[in-house]
Amino acid sequence: MTGSRARLRMGAGRSPLLPILAAALIITAGHLSIADATIRGHVTSVHVPESPALAVGEARREAAKDVALTTPVAGGDPPQAGGPPGLVPGGAGGLRAMSFAKPNRGLLQDRQTSFIRDDLGRPFVLPDTAPERIVSLAPNVTEILFALGLGDRVVGVTRFCDHPPAAKSIPKVGGLVDPNVEIVRSLDPDLVIGFRGNPLRVLDRIGKLGLPVFVLDIGQGLEALFPLIEKIGAVTLAGERAGRLATGLRERAEAVGAAMTGVGRRPRVFVLLYGQGLWTSGGESYLDDLIDRAGADNVASALPKKWALYKREQILKDDPEAVFVLSKTEEDFARARDWLERQSRLESVAAVRAGRVHRLDEDAASRFGPRLVDVLERMARLLHPERFGEAL
Amino acid sequence: MNAGNQRRVFWALLVVLALGGFLLSLLTGPVKTTFGDLVDFIRQYDRVQAAIFLDLRLSRAVLAFLVGAALSLSGAILQGYFRNPMADPFVVGVSSGAALGAVAALSLGIRFAAFGFSGQGLMAFASGLGIVSLVYLLSLRRGDFRVETLLLTGIAAGALASALTSFLLFMRSDSFDQAVFWLLGSFQLAEWPQVGAVAPWFALGLLLAVWLARDMNLLALGDEAARALGCPVATVRKVFLGVATLLAALSVSVSGIIGFVGLVVPHWVRLLIGPEHRRLFAGASLAGGTFLLYCDLLARTLLPSELPIGVITAAVGAPFFLYLLHRKR
């Protein structure tokens, strides 16, 4: 007993804080060197092209349109405590640039270098050879990969990836919000494509294992789909096919737009997501954009959200002339339609009276993939059948 | 069996359990692996297996062990500090306070690394210390220190901190995943740098605690008696409170709030090897690490998708807490 007290007194003048300070100093020195490296990483990466969108040749023309898309909506997450900056999303450029292996100033100034920024603004080094083992962490990404003819290279998907049917037999790595890092690693992928909805912490952990992770975000409206496809084409070195796919889809969308020019009356449309309550798509959703392109007005357009809970009184007031029900199956649709007709006060709504309640495939309409153009065409034909005598 | 023998059996069993826990952790995961695979991997290096065994599973097991040890040591210190067997970093509000600090750092975008750990770790420490000081001051009325007041104040302050944490998290767009992590804890995304951030501080905390353990034994007699026996009470108290808060805050900043570890483990250890603090601190550290290692194993195997580990520790710890509370009456 006396021993420890004696040391207390003489060691640090009645204060045992000295050993703490000494140890803190040692540990701080180690960490400061990391912080210092971070700052230097920042300095060397100043010359990374400022455009937040594609930095690569052919796709650069998309850059101007892309600015909105590339806002890091999923939030700027600093790394978990103590981690050295590996793949760090968001925030100032310094930490981000650390994921980029030793940037070379000369190369960076040359705009023809082979890297691209993902939708979190992080540089992604394009591979020399086309990726052979791709893991897709979202259903829409899987659909795009298959549409690009890369289905046989997809080695891992989420449990929600069921389209096209061939995707169902691919090993599952978990769900959109709970992809399993260990399973992803065990598939030994040479490309992992993440999407909005995947937790950033999980994506970072995958990146820290040394796997190339490319993260995509949903943009504003249907227009964002085309650069999304081109970006997937760029990282899979299937740029040409992606360009063709995007152009084809764009032409179909523009054909709908052309058919709608000079449309006289724009019907009021309400979208109902089948399930609990009156969930609808607000003004920030791409469905709002699709309705607009299909020559109609979304009654929930004023709600500044992607998905919003609507009020029954508001529907009565809006009196929509057409209702689109998003449902997985025809049975669900029948149930939703019955429900709308049975609701004592909703039966007076114009759409319900006129029987203009239509089904949209929930998966096609809720995944930001190529099938959105099918949805657009279907909407346009249902809303303005008179316009499609010869237009399409 | 005399006390010395009983202690030897305790240590031997604990070491065997800990090593077994590490081995099980290496072999358990969503990717099926057998003991043979591990032996093959040790014989011949394989890139994918190296990532799974070393980078993912071993780092996770080591971090779980370290955090368990740190929380348990923190609990043992707090129980001695408050002379109260119900104290624990979660109950007195340190953990919730630390989580609030870490999440605030996250939301404010504080990401400097200085003073030995990240801004997140530092904010966690500061806010954990703030909460525990507040709880201490509020429960110290007219020089009278009541156990019930301490517990209630701690739980209320912890709830307030958790509410603020939730508020900060739900302002963010990726809130759900983050909220579950911070409020219930998880080692799912453990990595070696986190081990590096906790290990030196834990080692320092353990050394300090063991070094000052005799003073803690004196504190058990009451501050007046301890002072009369020559213990620099004020200084020792400051150091212990600092160490306990630091250990809890660091644990929270890497793994979120994991409750009740610091409550139940020191209790069990005290029952098995007695209340002497030097042995208790060392024993509680080893036992806490082992306990959390097995809790983590349960967390990842009970359901197809992972459970937050706080669910497991609360399921074990809360009934024990109730039992203690009942017995006290």
Side-chain angles (χ1 to χ4, degrees), chain A residues 42-249:
Chain A
H42 188 183
V43 174
T44 49
S45 62
V46 164
H47 290 273
V48 171
E50 292 76 20
S51 158
L54 295 190
V56 200
E58 59 157 332
R60 209 183 315 137
R61 60 195 155 78
E62 297 296 338
K65 295 175 202 156
D66 267 353
V67 176
L69 170 77
T70 50
T71 325
V73 289
D77 242 349
Q80 292 309 302
L87 267 170
V88 185
L95 285 168
R96 270 190 226 155
M98 289 304 285
S99 61
F100 187 62
K102 299 249 157 89
N104 174 311
R105 187 172 294 215
L107 274 175
L108 285 174
Q109 278 167 341
D110 174 7
R111 293 241 168 167
Q112 292 308 308
T113 47
S114 50
F115 80 87
I116 175 176
R117 277 189 186 276
D118 72 6
D119 287 351
L120 292 175
R122 306 191 284 201
F124 180 90
V125 181
L126 291 178
D128 297 328
T129 55
E132 297 285 330
R133 302 182 60 78
I134 305 171
V135 166
S136 158
L137 297 181
N140 64 324
V141 172
T142 306
E143 289 189 23
I144 293 171
L145 286 169
F146 271 86
L148 291 175
L150 301 171
D152 54 339
R153 301 198 190 160
V154 181
V155 295
V157 295
T158 70
R159 69 176 91 92
F160 305 109
C161 296
D162 54 5
H163 186 87
K168 285 184 200 166
S169 56
I170 297 174
K172 304 286 177 279
V173 300
L176 189 69
V177 296
D178 58 341
N180 189 285
V181 179
E182 189 175 308
I183 298 177
V184 170
R185 187 64 192 89
S186 73
L187 296 170
D188 200 18
D190 49 11
L191 175 63
V192 178
I193 304 182
F195 193 68
R196 182 195 178 92
N198 297 141
L200 279 177
R201 296 171 61 242
V202 176
L203 295 175
D204 282 346
R205 189 65 186 94
I206 296 172
K208 283 177 187 159
L209 287 170
L211 300 178
V213 183
F214 189 72
V215 187
L216 291 162
D217 190 11
I218 196 166
Q220 287 288 314
L222 184 65
E223 195 57 40
L225 178 64
F226 313 122
L228 182 81
I229 291 171
E230 286 176 348
K231 281 181 214 180
I232 291 179
V235 291
T236 54
L237 302 194
E240 215 170 293
R241 254 174 294 171
R244 278 203 301 277
L245 177 65
T247 309
L249 291 170

Side-chain angles (χ1 to χ4, degrees), chain B residues 153-219:
Chain B
T153 318
I155 287 165
L160 181 64
S162 287
L164 285 172
T165 308
S166 311
F167 175 73
L168 286 175
L169 285 169
F170 280 91
M171 307 251 294
R172 300 162 54 87
S173 57
D174 55 343
S175 54
F176 183 70
D177 159 66
Q178 294 276 350
V180 171
F181 170 77
W182 286 108
L183 299 177
L184 289 170
S186 169
F187 292 107
Q188 197 175 1
L189 301 173
E191 56 189 34
W192 285 112
Q194 295 181 327
V195 174
V198 178
W201 292 102
F202 169 70
L204 184 72
L206 182 60
L207 279 177
L208 270 174
V210 170
W211 183 40
L212 295 173
R214 291 174 188 204
D215 294 288
M216 187 61 105
N217 289 340
L218 291 181
L219 284 185

Side-chain angles (χ1 to χ4, degrees), chain B residues 82-87 146-149 151 263 267 320-329:
Chain B
F82 289 114
R83 287 191 211 100
N84 170 10
M86 315 281 289
R146 292 174 53 119
V147 172
E148 286 77 11
T149 320
L151 295 179
L263 177 77
H267 255 280
F320 192 73
F321 182 81
L322 289 174
Y323 161 73
L324 286 177
L325 202 63
H326 180 73
R327 206 186 52 174
K328 269 185 81 73
R329 290 249 165 96

